[in-house]
Amino acid sequence: CSEYQKILKSTDYDLKYEKALEYYEEGDYMRASTLLQELISVFMGTDRAEEAHIKYANSLFNMRDYISSVHFFREFVDKYPNSDYAEDAQFMIGASYFELSPKARLDQTDTNNGIEAFQLFTSLYPNSPKVDEALDMMDELREKLVYKSYLSAKLYYHLGTYMGNNYKSAVITARNSLDEFPDTKYREELSFLILDSLYIQAVNSVEEKEEDRLRMTLDEYYAFINEFPESSYMKNANEIFEDVTSMLNKYN
Amino acid sequence: FIGIKAQESTPEISYSGKPQNYIIADIKVTGDLNNDPKILANLSGLKVGQEIQVPGEDISDAIDKYWEYGLFSDIKISADKIEGNKIYLNIYLQERPRLTDINFSGLKKSEIDDISGKISMMRGSQVTPYLVDRAEKYIKQHFVDKGFFNTEVSIVQRDDADTPNHVYLDITVDKKDKVKVNSLEFYGNDVFSDYKLNRFMKKTNEKGKILNFFRTKKFVSEEYENDLKTVIEKYNEEGYRDAYIEYDSISRNSDNTVDIKIGLSEGSKYYFGDISWVGNTVYPGPYLSEKLRIKKGDVFNQTLLDERLFIDDDAVHNLYMNDGYLFSNIEPVDIKIYNDTVDLEMRVYEGQQATIDEVIIKGNTKTHEHVVRRELRTKPGELFDKSELIRTVRELSQLGHFDPENINPVPIPDPEKGTVDLEYNLVEKANDQIELSGGWGGGMFVGSLGLKFTNFSVRNIFNKEAWRPLPTGDGQTLSLRAQTNGKYYQSYSFSFTEPWLGGRKPNSLSVSVYHSIQTGTNSSYYYGNPYSSGMGSYGGYGGYGGGYGNYYQPPMEEDPDEHMKVTGLSVGFGKRLSWPDDFFQFYTQASYQRYDLKNWVYFLMENGNSNNLNFKVMLSRNSIDNPLYTRHGSNFSLGLEFTPPYSYFDDQDFSDPDMPDSERYKWVEYHKWTFKGNVFKPLDNASKLVLMTKVEGGFLGYFDENRKSPFEKFVLGGDGMSGYSYYGSETIGLRGYENASLTPYNEEGRQDGNIYNKLALEMRYPLTLQPSATVYGLLFAEAGNSWSDFRDYNPFGLKRSAGVGVRIFLPIFGLMGIDWAYGFDEVPGRPNASGSNFHFVIGQNF
């Protein structure tokens, strides 16, 4: 019978707590969490409850049980909004969602939850030393959302004319994403995708819409080279320009 | 509230004097305690060392806290001692008793299960008067709702002698007899006869009448109220829009029955008058009237009007809803009623057209988004279209990755921008299947292992992180299967399907490979197919063949000098068509099989090999709404499989009867035509009871009479299990007959089904449609037969059968089922083949 087993069975809560903190400091979160889980209810209504609670949630986080850690950090923030640990807990809600957030091709509910949690954190504790870290993580989550919409736009672009005009859908999806996240690192890709989609739409257009669409493409071209004069897509963009201007000749 | 109670030998606290401050020196908790005293002490919020005022708020606050927990029936806080400014507190707590167990009497097991889940009293939880009271009311209501109006419930709390402060609850329920309907009388009815009105009352029926034999005779007031509404609806449907229940009386009799009297005021019959449209700019009034399909002079039928306006697929409002007018509305208003005619004005609010802005996909925790998004018919930039939305939901459920009963599209309109976002909420469904089966037959073990992954991701196969436990999410199907009896038979198969080859168009590619080796045995002859299927499916949506049960065969010894090896490869390509309509699909496949035989006396030739290179084209149309429990839609396919007609260009003469089979069948030739059709139709309003009608037939033809194919024949009868079978034949099920029993034999004693026909009618009723299990029962009647030759073909000479069965779909195991069927017709030469037969089914839909 190990020492841990003895402690587990003991009813000496002070000892249990002391040992729990020891395990916690040593990084043995498995044991720490088992002890702390019990102590949270034992200490209900005392100062120690707060500490047991936050350390329990931290242990869960360190054990990568993020689904549970979100729950307990949230509960902590609700229960002890004025605690010294509340700031930390709010940050950790975001951090837990950050870990839960799956790759861009999957459901992004946790990503959105994470952004929301970090937003709340930065507005509640603007002077926290962790604000920079929160902003970085928030950015990463946002970029994931942009990447997701980039994939969607690209999919519509690739679907082409399958079951309707998918180029239009590609343009709308990419524009929505740029409106929502103007300073994304995918800005150039999204912008070129818009230009390219508009171009394909224009050259395959029915006659009465052709001129309009060509001019729209031309406008988009100027905006693009203006914003990305050094773009790696420049060659393709210029080809589009040449083709569009020559097609526009008959309207001038 | 008295904060501190004065007791003997404890310090006297004066309540009249000035409150004094004390420091808490100790807190003791007494009473019958189930919890740790320390925890209980903490609940008070009082701490040792804290300074409190006595008498004062600190103590009363602590008492309030205890009351709030609701766990205690008595709470007292007193001082044991006061020394100077130190106070020793004693908290006395009487905990409410906890529940040891509930004993029910007067109820059946199933009734207890029904109830105990809902009265929310668990062992170990505290018993409060409120909970007991609520339980009593709940139980009573539960049975009243079921027609037991006189139910009596008593709950007795009894101390548990073994555990302190614990109690038993003895719940005694006397349901008494159900209240039944003795008589049901109608007054004032001319339009409908008493008989008809009785039929309208679906759940309220007189007892003792033969007509009501199958109907419930209980009196349940809720059902009764619904039935009254139905009666009025029926009047409304016939134009009696003023009809109402003038009075109704329910009188109790001593024998637990009721007499019901219903007085009706029917009013007069109305007809539709002029129907005019206002507010419509998109469609002209006459066009809308035509779509409404209600003419002046028709009987005024409110139900029909609602259906034609809003509910039917081709309802008038859907003209708008399918063309972006998401905000539109139509309000029918009576503008003039004269004599028996009602003039209607349809007030149309069109609003602006809504364009789809964002399409959001949620709930795909496993399936990659593009697998879903590429299937959506609702796209950003297009006008909102309700019919496309409904079609999309149907197609998503066909994908098989999501729970079909739980696909929930939510339009989120933004009237200001004139746009709408569409959010598809999905729930992932475990769709991979494992088949592991074993059986004992012929003195040896026959085992098979099959794995089918329907949401595989090949590109992640080298990505370590994606193996959790398998790379998933790209919607590809991968199946692997191995089967052996350890001694003389082994088979392996592999197949892979990519539904969107290249990711730009829904063109599917399927590849499958299989190989089987059978070494000889000393058994003289056996027929049929002792092994279950070798191939799960050739790539389409088909089920997964399985091995179950019947492995019986006479004991055999292995003979290594004899063998038959079959190797096959097939590549298929599928394409969705947009003409004649976009439910059509075209599938084409090339496949090659090689049979390699050595000293093989059981089939065809002893030594040599036979090759079958064939091409298949199949045109199919599939519009079923849900692959697991289909309610609507149909599924048709027309297939042609053929080999090159070697006879037309090689000069060999095959008419010599002494030609060795190894030469005759070196390259097999044939053409094979198949037709299959299923139609599903719901029979009740709730779309639960579903009728499936099935027609199918096939014909195997030859190019040269002397070179008829020994392969690809139809084997009819039995459970129909197997996708690819033993000697390259196609197994067709016909329940009520033994496996393969309805197959003719040729002079050489080989199965020779070249033509077959089958018809089936099946009624299905779902027992549960949860994602964790889909279970339905079925009743069926079917008929079919197979023939060697067109000369014998007789479409009326079908063997008939009927039976019952059940199907269970579990996510991991796929579809399983058992049927009992009775074959009515005798099979010549097989006296035991018909009659009562049980059939096990795995992974296949009849």
Side-chain angles (χ1 to χ4, degrees), chain A residues 13 41-42 44 46-47 103 105-107 148 152 155-156 158-159 162-163 166 168-169 172-173 176, chain B residues 36 39 42 357-358 363-370 373 377 379-381 459 500 504 506 576:
Chain A
Y13 296 114
S41 56
V42 174
M44 204 184 344
T46 70
D47 293 346
K103 58 186 173 183
R105 290 175 187 278
L106 300 176
D107 182 13
K148 188 185 184 72
S152 300
L155 174 71
Y156 285 126
H158 282 319
L159 287 177
Y162 170 67
M163 288 203 306
N166 291 289
K168 189 166 65 180
S169 308
I172 291 174
T173 307
N176 278 340
Chain B
D36 191 286
I39 302 175
N42 284 336
D357 191 22
E358 276 183 63
N364 57 321
T365 51
K366 212 174 92 187
T367 307
H368 292 159
E369 181 171 292
H370 70 274
R373 190 174 291 277
R377 286 168 180 271
K379 294 173 182 175
R459 66 173 157 180
W500 279 64
R504 300 182 184 207
R576 293 184 202 173

Side-chain angles (χ1 to χ4, degrees), chain B residues 105-129:
Chain B
S105 51
L107 292 180
K108 280 183 276 189
K109 172 98 177 57
S110 60
E111 291 171 328
I112 295 173
D113 289 346
D114 267 7
I115 292 170
S116 41
K118 305 232 170 99
I119 54 177
S120 63
M121 288 206 282
M122 294 194 312
R123 274 173 217 173
S125 67
Q126 264 154 342
V127 180
T128 65

Side-chain angles (χ1 to χ4, degrees), chain A residues 11-14 38-39 41-47 102-110 112 148-149 151-173 176-177 180, chain B residues 36 38-39 42-43 45 47 69 355-359 361-371 373-382 395 417 428 459-460 463 466 472-474 500 503-506 576 582:
Chain A
T11 50
D12 183 346
Y13 296 114
D14 292 327
E38 186 193 354
L39 293 172
S41 56
V42 174
F43 292 157
M44 204 184 344
T46 70
D47 293 346
K103 58 186 173 183
R105 290 175 187 278
L106 300 176
D107 182 13
Q108 294 299 308
T109 306
D110 287 328
N112 287 312
K148 188 185 184 72
S149 57
L151 288 176
S152 300
K154 196 92 183 168
L155 174 71
Y156 285 126
Y157 176 84
H158 282 319
L159 287 177
T161 53
Y162 170 67
M163 288 203 306
N165 175 4
N166 291 289
Y167 295 109
K168 189 166 65 180
S169 308
V171 172
I172 291 174
T173 307
N176 278 340
S177 187
E180 199 176 349
Chain B
D36 191 286
K38 273 207 169 139
I39 302 175
N42 284 336
L43 296 181
K47 275 176 267 185
Y69 280 104
T355 310
I356 299 170
D357 191 22
E358 276 183 63
V359 177
I361 296 157
K362 282 192 171 172
N364 57 321
T365 51
K366 212 174 92 187
T367 307
H368 292 159
E369 181 171 292
H370 70 274
V371 175
R373 190 174 291 277
R374 67 193 181 189
E375 302 287 345
L376 304 181
R377 286 168 180 271
T378 55
K379 294 173 182 175
E382 285 178 1
E395 286 173 348
K417 275 169 68 189
E428 293 266 6
R459 66 173 157 180
N460 279 324
N463 176 2
T472 56
D474 281 343
W500 279 64
R504 300 182 184 207
K505 289 221 156 55
R576 293 184 202 173
D582 55 6

Side-chain angles (χ1 to χ4, degrees), chain A residues 137-196:
Chain A
M137 285 204 256
M138 199 155 48
D139 271 351
E140 200 172 315
L141 293 175
R142 283 182 174 147
E143 288 299 346
K144 198 183 277 186
L145 293 181
V146 183
Y147 182 59
K148 188 185 184 72
S149 57
Y150 174 64
L151 288 176
S152 300
K154 196 92 183 168
L155 174 71
Y156 285 126
Y157 176 84
H158 282 319
L159 287 177
T161 53
Y162 170 67
M163 288 203 306
N165 175 4
N166 291 289
Y167 295 109
K168 189 166 65 180
S169 308
V171 172
I172 291 174
T173 307
R175 284 210 168 126
N176 278 340
S177 187
L178 285 179
D179 285 350
E180 199 176 349
F181 306 104
D183 38 359
T184 165
K185 65 179 180 193
Y186 297 103
R187 192 170 175 86
E188 189 180 331
E189 279 86 351
L190 286 165
S191 303
F192 183 73
L193 193 68
I194 293 171
L195 173 62
D196 202 7

Side-chain angles (χ1 to χ4, degrees), chain B residues 791-837:
Chain B
R791 278 181 301 242
D792 315 324
Y793 177 63
N794 173 10
F796 301 104
L798 301 180
K799 306 291 181 192
R800 294 156 300 172
S801 70
V804 294
V806 64
R807 292 289 177 281
I808 300 172
F809 180 89
L810 296 171
I812 301 257
F813 301 100
L815 188 81
M816 298 178 287
I818 180 168
D819 289 329
W820 172 84
Y822 192 88
F824 298 111
D825 295 301
E826 252 179 56
V827 183
R830 300 280 304 274
N832 298 324
S834 59
S836 165
N837 274 291

